[in-house]
Amino acid sequence: MTTLTVLIAGRGGQVARALAASVPAGVNAVCLGRPEMDITDSASIARAMEEVAPDIVINAAAYTAVDQAESEPEAARLVNAVAAGALAQAAAARGAPILHLSTDYVFNGEKTSPYVESDPVAPLGAYGRSKLEGERAVAAGNPQSVILRTAWVYSPWGKNFARTMLRVGETRDELAVVHDQRGNPTSAAAIAAGLWSIALGYGRAGAPLGAGVFHMTAQGEASWAEFAEEIFAVSAAAGGPGARIKRITTAEYPTPTQRPANSRLDCSALAAAHGIALPPWRESTRSVVEELVRTKGWRA
């Protein structure tokens, strides 16, 4: 069996860690971050490409500090747009496809039903604008690009909603959580499984099963408050924190960046083109929260 060499950019992020923890048989996965590969430095990218000689590249690197991006938009743009485009071009120069992660924040959230890929984009803040520019740079830089918009990412590590809820809930009986924003909570492990499925399809067929922009989130939807309620229900059953949730409005919890009220993404195009459907969000939530309770991972 021929080994498929995959270069993963963004070693320390949630999805990159999930990818590294689930490498399939027959894959040589090389996860790189700074200083080995700085995607904001074209020379650093070129060296890594030469040394690794990847068959496919997965870009899991991103500037994800949504609120902070409002005060440093150029920093967000450098990583999410300029560097993403440079990485895509470098992969293309080697004839390698690139799988690139994007976000629900490219939409303004005003649609009343789940977004499909062809819906008009209208990001509300600097983070969303930088990710949209990144989508366009990746597509322009590499004709073999699969751009995957996901949302509400969480895992047993890194900065995310699940860990924050458990950390705060350990010392408080009640937490106020927004109930008028809806989306698809999606675990990093589920995203990693989807990415590996596409990569393996390329390895078998010699070309991506379909380039373009796709939505890839867990099945089902929730508000942030409903997501929090599920987190604490699972946690309490497993012997962890079990705080009550007070449902509030977005207006009661202002943030520097306006969040889309509707972040729901329709993933039927991904299923049709790649045969991929991520598991229901409650299933993944149970797995992640039970691991966090077992390891007290919200304290790390």
Side-chain angles (χ1 to χ4, degrees):
M1 181 178 179
T2 303
T3 299
L4 182 72
T5 299
V6 179
L7 172 59
I8 301 168
R11 180 175 54 201
Q14 293 188 78
V15 174
R17 291 183 65 173
L19 285 164
S22 58
V23 180
V27 173
N28 172 34
V30 182
C31 301
L32 295 180
R34 294 172 178 165
E36 292 87 358
M37 184 176 72
D38 180 353
I39 64 168
T40 66
D41 180 348
S42 58
S44 179
I45 293 174
R47 285 193 300 272
M49 289 288 178
E50 185 68 25
E51 292 171 6
V52 177
D55 299 304
I56 189 167
V57 175
I58 299 178
N59 183 23
Y63 178 110
T64 58
V66 174
D67 289 326
Q68 194 171 327
E70 293 303 310
S71 60
E72 47 183 48
E74 283 307 310
R77 181 177 178 271
L78 176 62
V79 175
N80 292 343
V82 178
L87 189 64
Q89 289 179 4
R94 299 196 62 88
I98 185 168
L99 309 184
H100 173 75
L101 292 174
S102 190
T103 177
D104 57 298
Y105 277 74
V106 300
F107 299 114
N108 63 15
E110 294 180 3
K111 188 180 179 183
T112 56
S113 58
Y115 282 95
V116 297
E117 291 80 355
S118 59
D119 280 329
V121 289
L124 297 172
Y127 169 73
R129 289 192 296 271
S130 72
K131 293 298 287 184
L132 178 58
E133 186 178 347
E135 288 186 5
R136 292 168 174 168
V138 168
N142 192 325
Q144 294 191 96
S145 60
V146 180
I147 296 164
L148 298 147
R149 293 172 179 153
T150 192
W152 293 26
V153 181
Y154 64 98
S155 69
W157 46 74
K159 185 178 180 181
N160 63 71
F161 185 78
R163 290 187 71 228
T164 297
M165 286 295 98
L166 292 173
R167 184 178 67 251
V168 178
E170 188 175 26
T171 58
R172 291 169 57 182
D173 294 331
E174 183 178 84
L175 303 178
V177 181
V178 169
H179 187 53
D180 57 359
Q181 296 173 22
R182 299 194 70 78
N184 314 106
T186 306
S187 76
I191 295 169
L195 290 168
W196 282 131
S197 182
I198 296 171
L200 289 173
Y202 167 77
R204 287 190 297 266
L209 300 179
V213 178
F214 299 93
H215 294 166
M216 186 168 72
T217 59
Q219 297 175 50
E221 65 178 70
S223 70
W224 286 112
E226 290 167 341
F227 186 21
E229 287 164 355
E230 183 69 10
I231 288 167
F232 283 117
V234 174
S235 172
R244 297 185 305 275
I245 299 302
K246 177 184 177 182
R247 297 181 175 190
I248 63 171
T249 66
T250 297
E252 294 175 275
Y253 189 76
T255 57
T257 297
Q258 184 180 351
R259 266 70 172 171
N262 173 26
S263 283
R264 296 172 296 158
L265 302 180
D266 183 314
C267 301
S268 55
L270 180 72
H274 293 278
I276 295 170
L278 301 193
W281 72 268
R282 291 181 190 275
E283 180 181 313
S284 296
T285 298
R286 184 179 306 109
S287 175
V288 169
V289 172
E290 286 178 348
E291 180 177 345
L292 283 167
V293 171
R294 184 175 66 253
T295 62
K296 299 294 187 290
W298 63 85
R299 297 175 181 171

